[in-house]
Amino acid sequence: MLLRTDIKKFNLLFSFIILSLYPTVYSQDKKREKHLDKPDNLISDEISKKSELEETKSIVSAYGLIQFNANLIDSTRSNTPDYEANRLRFGMKVQGGIAEGRFEVQFNGNNLDGKSGLTAIRRADLSLEFMRHEFNQIQFVTKFILGGIRVGGAMSTAPDIAYIPNKYGRQDGLLVEESIQFKEGSQINVSLANFNNIRGIRQQSVSSGNANWLGSKGASLNSNWGKDSFSKSRGYFAKIDATYKINKNKKLNFIAMHGFQDDAPSAQDSSGNLTTANDIKHTEASLWYNDSDIFGDKGLLSDNGVAFWYENEQIGKNKRAIVAGGGQFNYDPSNNSDGSLIYDDSQSFQLYGISVSADSLRYLTNMIQKRDRLTYSISYSLEDVQFGNNVTLKGDKNPDYKINQVAGYLGYAVKTFETGINIAYHTSNQNLFKDNNGNINKNNAIMGYLTAFYKF
């Protein structure tokens, strides 16, 4: 009798153990069913690979900015105050594994003719991380970037209204970048590129009414390699961007870049055929220092700190484009098609500047909103323009000129919103500026506007 009772207890205990294991056994059976009854080691490998794929899945992020201006003061015009939607920019970035793609478009405000501003594709590129390796705690990363590339420009910490380097716009081509990253946060980036064209900037003549930095315009057309109407000229570019992190609050940055293009397309006829070309050289450089304890580090319209910058632009004499067949051209720098001499419209100019920008987050905040701040900056710029001929096409007898500009800004910012007043005073060694009746008879001008800026 006692034996039967013990057997019953044993059977009950065994049944309980089997039932308790059933969910685990059932889940393993379902796993094998899902993976077509593969062995456990292969199932584990697949789960591991799935985790790796999840870690490198595409990450999509959007960004952009909106800026509106209210022009309050302009001694060269009579129709102030007036208002403008200055720019609306939207971009998207997609990251996945070794690839990263960017697309960015900008809607500009009205142009000088009062027509709607252009919509510009600022960038559309794909970068591939070709190689990454580490040696003595120094990391080396090699990237190939293809498409419409923005390579950046010289650093300035100036007011929004200031004369600053034009920077390179979107350049279509291929760029190779080597990044050397040090453990303490310092970094050196070296870039070499082959572009369809180098973005040249041409300054206006004394009598044009636009003889200042704001009146500069493009000196080269976008060279299209796919059409016979263009020269198939290529632009070449090199850049070094080095940042030395002194400590967690202090850093020093140096940027130098140079691009050049021979026979860069400059004009075409109504049929789209190339008519003239120029040789172009474009150089920018800057030295920037920031101590976040002194200048802060929450700049929106301008980076914080002290900056020195320089730009040099050289636009060669016009060359007449002579079709040689197969989309190729010969160039005659002396005569037009009618035998007349080609006018020497070559020019070179330099831009020098120094600026300081800061915010009050370290010592004055929570005035209206939590962690708000005052922002302020000041700059000095010198533009020096020289023409190849002593008389320009517009008849200026003394075409070379210099402009000194002092600019200032005072604003208020909270998170990614900023609003403030820009003001700039210009003086020149010639009468370059209009009075408010449109007559060019002044060697000085004052301009100012209220701006509202939101970054997302």
Side-chain angles (χ1 to χ4, degrees):
M1 191 71 178
L2 182 61
L3 181 60
R4 288 181 180 177
T5 303
D6 289 340
I7 291 173
K8 286 182 179 180
K9 288 180 179 180
F10 175 81
N11 288 334
L12 287 172
L13 179 61
F14 181 78
S15 299
F16 177 78
I17 293 172
I18 293 299
L19 288 172
S20 66
L21 289 173
Y22 178 76
T24 304
V25 173
Y26 178 76
S27 65
Q28 292 296 325
D29 286 342
K30 294 295 291 182
K31 184 185 293 183
R32 286 188 174 88
E33 179 183 340
K34 183 176 180 180
H35 293 273
L36 304 178
D37 294 324
K38 293 179 181 178
D40 286 343
N41 62 330
L42 291 182
I43 295 172
S44 300
D45 289 343
E46 287 196 2
I47 294 172
S48 176
K49 289 177 182 178
K50 182 179 178 182
S51 299
E52 290 177 5
L53 288 173
E54 289 177 350
E55 289 177 2
T56 59
K57 66 181 180 181
S58 295
I59 300 172
V60 181
S61 56
Y63 60 93
L65 59 86
I66 305 171
Q67 183 176 1
F68 297 96
N69 292 341
N71 299 300
L72 304 177
I73 306 168
D74 192 338
S75 63
T76 67
R77 300 192 296 133
S78 60
N79 55 339
T80 52
D82 58 4
Y83 309 93
E84 63 177 334
N86 185 264
R87 53 181 170 163
L88 168 62
R89 186 182 302 166
F90 178 78
M92 294 192 70
K93 180 171 72 171
V94 182
Q95 294 173 286
I98 65 170
E100 177 181 295
R102 282 178 180 260
F103 172 76
E104 194 173 306
V105 63
Q106 179 164 307
F107 304 91
N108 298 310
N110 290 344
N111 59 24
L112 295 176
D113 298 325
K115 299 177 182 178
S116 295
L118 297 175
T119 300
I121 298 177
R122 298 186 80 245
R123 70 184 302 164
D125 60 54
L126 175 67
S127 66
L128 297 174
E129 186 179 300
F130 177 70
M131 184 171 57
R132 178 185 291 264
H133 65 278
E134 188 170 318
F135 177 75
N136 287 344
Q137 297 185 324
I138 302 174
Q139 195 167 72
F140 298 84
V141 181
T142 306
K143 286 185 178 180
F144 289 104
I145 306 176
L146 183 67
I149 305 165
R150 292 193 71 84
V151 296
M155 178 70 72
S156 62
T157 56
D160 186 60
I161 198 174
Y163 289 176
I164 62 173
N166 273 286
K167 302 187 177 182
Y168 277 79
R170 192 195 87 213
Q171 311 287 113
D172 295 335
L174 169 68
L175 181 141
V176 180
E177 179 186 82
E178 181 68 26
S179 177
I180 306 171
Q181 303 168 7
F182 300 90
K183 184 179 180 182
E184 67 274 12
S186 298
Q187 185 168 316
I188 299 174
N189 295 327
V190 179
S191 303
L192 296 173
N194 180 208
F195 291 131
N196 277 11
N197 71 298
I198 293 296
R199 182 173 178 256
I201 304 298
R202 185 183 295 278
Q203 299 303 304
Q204 301 300 293
S205 68
V206 172
S207 62
S208 67
N210 294 300
N212 61 73
W213 196 246
L214 302 178
S216 61
K217 64 179 184 179
S220 58
L221 301 175
N222 286 329
S223 173
N224 188 331
W225 292 354
K227 292 185 177 180
D228 288 348
S229 61
F230 281 89
S231 66
K232 297 188 178 178
S233 173
R234 292 171 174 81
Y236 299 93
F237 168 85
K239 176 183 178 181
I240 180 169
D241 184 343
T243 300
Y244 173 54
K245 191 171 182 180
I246 302 170
N247 56 41
K248 66 177 182 179
N249 297 321
K250 300 181 180 68
K251 59 183 175 182
L252 184 68
N253 173 266
F254 171 73
I255 295 173
M257 61 183 69
H258 178 70
F260 67 93
Q261 182 178 9
D262 293 338
D263 304 327
S266 59
Q268 58 190 130
D269 60 22
S270 58
S271 300
N273 298 311
L274 183 67
T275 56
T276 60
N278 302 103
D279 296 340
I280 289 175
K281 295 179 181 178
H282 182 105
T283 303
E284 293 183 23
S286 65
L287 184 65
W288 170 53
Y289 169 77
N290 187 39
D291 183 338
S292 58
D293 286 335
I294 300 173
F295 302 107
D297 57 2
K298 299 295 181 182
L300 293 177
L301 279 167
S302 171
D303 290 301
N304 293 1
V306 181
F308 303 86
W309 70 84
Y310 169 76
E311 178 175 348
N312 176 269
E313 196 92 35
Q314 297 183 39
I315 312 297
K317 179 182 176 181
N318 258 344
K319 304 176 186 180
R320 183 169 66 94
I322 305 168
V323 178
Q328 302 299 319
F329 292 83
N330 296 321
Y331 297 96
D332 185 349
S334 57
N335 295 309
N336 288 307
S337 57
D338 59 2
S340 62
L341 293 176
I342 291 179
Y343 188 87
D344 184 1
D345 63 346
S346 63
Q347 63 172 248
S348 66
F349 68 86
Q350 290 79 39
L351 178 69
Y352 308 87
I354 179 173
S355 62
V356 181
S357 183
D359 66 61
S360 68
L361 188 60
R362 292 289 197 276
Y363 55 87
L364 181 60
T365 186
N366 303 324
M367 296 169 285
I368 302 175
Q369 298 285 332
K370 183 179 179 181
R371 291 183 63 79
D372 59 4
R373 59 202 183 274
L374 295 177
T375 57
Y376 43 93
S377 57
I378 188 170
S379 68
Y380 167 74
S381 303
L382 170 62
E383 181 188 12
D384 186 358
V385 183
Q386 305 95 35
F387 290 85
N389 201 336
N390 60 3
V391 179
T392 70
L393 282 169
K394 292 183 177 291
D396 302 307
K397 297 294 180 64
N398 183 18
D400 299 348
Y401 59 86
K402 295 181 181 180
I403 300 177
N404 296 275
Q405 185 209 54
V406 177
Y409 173 80
L410 178 62
Y412 169 81
V414 55
K415 294 185 178 178
T416 58
F417 170 80
E418 184 170 351
T419 184
I421 294 286
N422 282 277
I423 192 164
Y425 179 71
H426 310 78
T427 62
S428 174
N429 62 339
Q430 293 204 56
N431 288 338
L432 303 177
F433 301 102
K434 299 176 182 178
D435 61 19
N436 55 18
N437 292 318
N439 301 311
I440 302 174
N441 56 16
K442 299 173 62 179
N443 68 351
N444 62 80
I446 186 169
M447 303 172 186
Y449 58 83
L450 171 68
T451 190
F453 179 87
Y454 179 68
K455 188 176 183 180
F456 61 91

